[in-house]
Amino acid sequence: MPPITDVPCPQLVPGDAGYDDARKIWNGEIDRKPAIIAQVTGPADVAACLTYARANDLEVTVRGGGHNLGGAAVADGALLIDLGGLRTVHVDPVNRTARVGGGATNADLDAATQAHGLAVPAGTYSDTGIGGLTLGGGFGWLTGKHGLSVDNLISAEVVLADGRVVRACAQSHPDLFWALRGGGGNFGVVTEFEYRLHPVGPLVDMGLFFFEVERGAQALRLARDLVPTLDGGGLMIVGMTAPPAPFVPAEHHGKLGYGVMLAGFAGTAAFSELAQRVRDTLPPLWEMVTPLPYTELQKSLDGIGYRGNFAYEKSVYAEDLSDGLIDVLVANLPGKASPLSATPIALLSGAYADVPDHATAFGGTRRTGFVVGLTAICPSPELLAADRVWVRDYWEKLLPHASNTGGYVNFMADYEQDRVRLTYGPVKYERLARVKAAYDPDNVFHHNGNIKPALG
Ligand code: FAD
């Protein structure tokens, strides 16, 4: 396939230097060969790519940060619209807003906004793209205080399937604006997100309390009981193998257990009280409690895995860490093969639960609850083969305890159609399908948690 002559941006085709690097995504298992990789520089390039793809009957994929573990960003023989060149962040500190390129990462966003003492809720891993993250919802340490990324979206510049460029916001294309806030990459290519910012930090507090697997049930109950006391702070519980990291005492490297992670935004005195309550209730095997810059908190989970690891994941939502759910969690964690595979369980509460269910297209209810993730992260394909089975079996056992078995649309390595429907529920899904029919009737954007255009 020759390069697209009427698109002036850099393009790579098989055999070009850089092509093999440009087609890689976070999950090293995905090895697909697009016909053309267009490294777009703005909405006009994106529009020209879409016109070309239509004229030449090419499939289209869109790549933000490349973190979707199923490889939604890249397909064999397709035209890959690579947003990696759109990473600029413009902050307006007076109005507390930021305009952010559709290919920016969490790290780009956090660095630029924190330069003004501001932040917007985004993910907990610095290299994740804000594109896919925001379009699917976007939770992070600030979610209890300020909601999801989508709850802070003011507008989006979108290139539609027919090449039109529109700005969607509450006043203009409100149906599209609603759908973009949770409906994934179904409706167009977002070249710029505009967010509302909040004063945060620069110093915040973090605590990691580790409990060996034998006390896993107690640790999970402790975490459950902390929920009403968090005052907008973040909570994540990670079933994990303690890494050989400098903050883990050497004698506990490689130990299986649960890390109860807390993030505090209400000052170190309040956080110290919370940390003491944890110690008094259940003394951890080891802990790390420290004030740190918000930008460092946002990188604190970067060691969970690396670009090029072989990965797979599934999730459910659970409104309660019930005793039954805890029993399943504790019984199944030891079955993993890779030391990096883990079960991140993130609390969604506070400001998250203040948003009415149907105010955005986010898949999942707005009642306080948890995203229970089951993530295989493996250094080799052999370990992935084992841990893919571990994830699937574990997930089947969690289903009876879940409040939404579809799970988080951003934690889907397989986009099974019935799961996508379950995530959104029938009312939201039908509304999304009508918006899809209006903006992408031919389903050009289908490499995602796909919403089928409504008929008629
Ligand atoms: P990509 O694979 O590039 O894109 C994902 C999907 O979005 C694709 O369908 C793509 O076509 C589409 N897309 C991307 N950008 C655009 C755009 N600008 N316009 C239109 N469509 C677009 N999620 C959380 O909410 N919180 C977390 O803390 C979190 N941590 C994570 C940590 C790791 C290590 C990983 C691998 C994932 C994590 N996620 C988290 C999940 C993450 O939100 C999803 O993987 C998300 O899809 C990543 O977006 P991306 O742009 O990097 O991915």
Side-chain angles (χ1 to χ4, degrees):
M1 180 72 58
I4 315 166
T5 47
D6 50 357
V7 180
C9 71
Q11 294 162 41
L12 298 168
V13 296
D16 283 351
Y19 170 84
D20 279 329
D21 273 345
R23 68 187 179 84
K24 285 184 187 147
I25 60 160
W26 198 82
N27 183 0
E29 195 201 17
I30 305 296
D31 178 21
R32 297 184 190 146
K33 298 192 170 80
I36 305 177
I37 301 174
Q39 297 176 322
V40 296
T41 60
D45 289 347
V46 175
C49 285
L50 293 170
T51 305
Y52 180 86
R54 203 171 36 250
N56 291 278
D57 211 14
L58 275 180
E59 279 207 285
V60 170
T61 66
V62 180
R63 178 196 161 114
H67 266 223
N68 170 264
L69 295 192
V74 54
D76 285 327
L79 167 56
L80 190 164
I81 298 177
D82 182 353
L83 302 177
L86 304 183
R87 292 174 62 168
T88 309
V89 182
H90 295 284
V91 178
D92 176 344
V94 176
N95 291 308
R96 291 185 177 162
T97 59
R99 288 187 292 113
V100 186
T105 63
N106 285 330
D108 298 330
L109 175 63
D110 292 333
T113 54
Q114 276 291 279
H116 302 275
L118 300 168
V120 58
T124 57
Y125 190 93
S126 70
D127 181 46
T128 303
I130 56 110
L133 178 112
T134 300
L135 293 168
F139 73 81
W141 293 116
L142 282 175
T143 290
K145 207 164 161 55
H146 298 300
L148 296 171
S149 307
V150 283
D151 300 332
N152 294 279
L153 192 65
I154 300 171
S155 74
E157 178 184 70
V158 193
V159 186
L160 301 174
D162 62 9
R164 275 181 300 150
V165 182
V166 300
R167 186 160 284 272
C169 63
Q171 293 75 33
S172 174
H173 300 282
D175 51 347
L176 176 61
F177 184 55
W178 175 82
L180 290 171
R181 287 175 292 157
N186 273 287
F187 306 95
V189 182
V190 179
T191 43
E192 184 182 276
F193 295 89
E194 184 188 11
Y195 300 100
R196 188 176 310 110
L197 305 177
H198 308 273
V200 172
L203 274 188
V204 299
D205 290 281
M206 186 189 103
L208 167 57
F209 304 86
F210 189 88
F211 303 89
E212 61 280 28
V213 70
E214 294 77 14
R215 289 193 298 158
Q218 288 163 275
L220 285 155
R221 285 194 192 100
L222 158 80
R224 176 177 73 189
D225 296 344
L226 288 175
V227 172
T229 72
L230 291 178
D231 189 23
L235 166 66
M236 200 183 296
I237 311 132
V238 189
M240 61 190 281
T241 306
F247 57 86
V248 181
E251 66 274 25
H252 299 312
H253 289 178
K255 211 162 258 180
L256 190 64
Y258 284 86
V260 175
M261 284 188 77
L262 296 168
F265 306 102
T268 297
F271 196 77
S272 299
E273 273 181 37
L274 178 63
Q276 195 52 46
R277 210 158 50 244
V278 172
R279 293 181 199 110
D280 292 345
T281 312
L282 192 66
L285 184 64
W286 55 267
E287 67 169 56
M288 183 188 55
V289 178
T290 182
L292 76 180
Y294 174 72
T295 47
E296 290 305 311
L297 171 70
Q298 287 291 89
K299 294 177 186 157
S300 59
L301 286 174
D302 283 4
I304 60 168
Y306 300 97
R307 202 164 268 273
N309 281 146
F310 299 82
Y312 180 74
E313 69 187 337
K314 280 192 170 301
S315 73
V316 296
Y317 289 112
E319 280 173 17
D320 184 24
L321 286 186
S322 64
D323 288 345
L325 178 75
I326 288 175
D327 288 347
V328 175
L329 289 171
V330 172
N332 288 278
L333 180 66
K336 72 191 183 79
S338 165
L340 294 171
S341 295
T343 60
I345 304 168
L347 174 66
L348 302 174
S349 69
Y352 166 88
D354 292 340
V355 177
D357 258 0
H358 290 277
T360 71
F362 175 70
T365 74
R366 290 305 187 119
R367 287 190 289 279
T368 292
F370 297 85
V371 184
V372 182
L374 305 175
T375 313
I377 303 180
C378 306
S380 70
E382 293 73 29
L383 282 177
L384 179 62
D387 275 357
R388 191 192 299 276
V389 174
W390 170 71
V391 167
R392 286 184 178 153
D393 287 354
Y394 198 158
W395 177 76
E396 295 275 350
K397 289 177 186 142
L398 283 178
L399 293 180
H401 305 279
S403 51
N404 178 327
T405 57
Y408 182 30
V409 74
N410 274 354
F411 281 179
M412 286 184 188
D414 330 282
Y415 283 130
E416 301 133 302
Q417 192 47 221
D418 56 337
R419 293 282 150 211
V420 173
R421 278 176 182 274
L422 281 172
T423 288
Y424 291 107
V427 175
K428 238 179 228 179
Y429 188 92
E430 293 313 323
R431 185 171 169 190
L432 282 166
R434 289 195 296 278
V435 182
K436 178 80 172 174
Y439 288 93
D440 183 18
D442 298 327
N443 206 0
V444 170
F445 303 109
H446 61 269
H447 287 281
N448 43 43
N450 197 227
I451 309 288
K452 307 279 182 231
L455 297 173

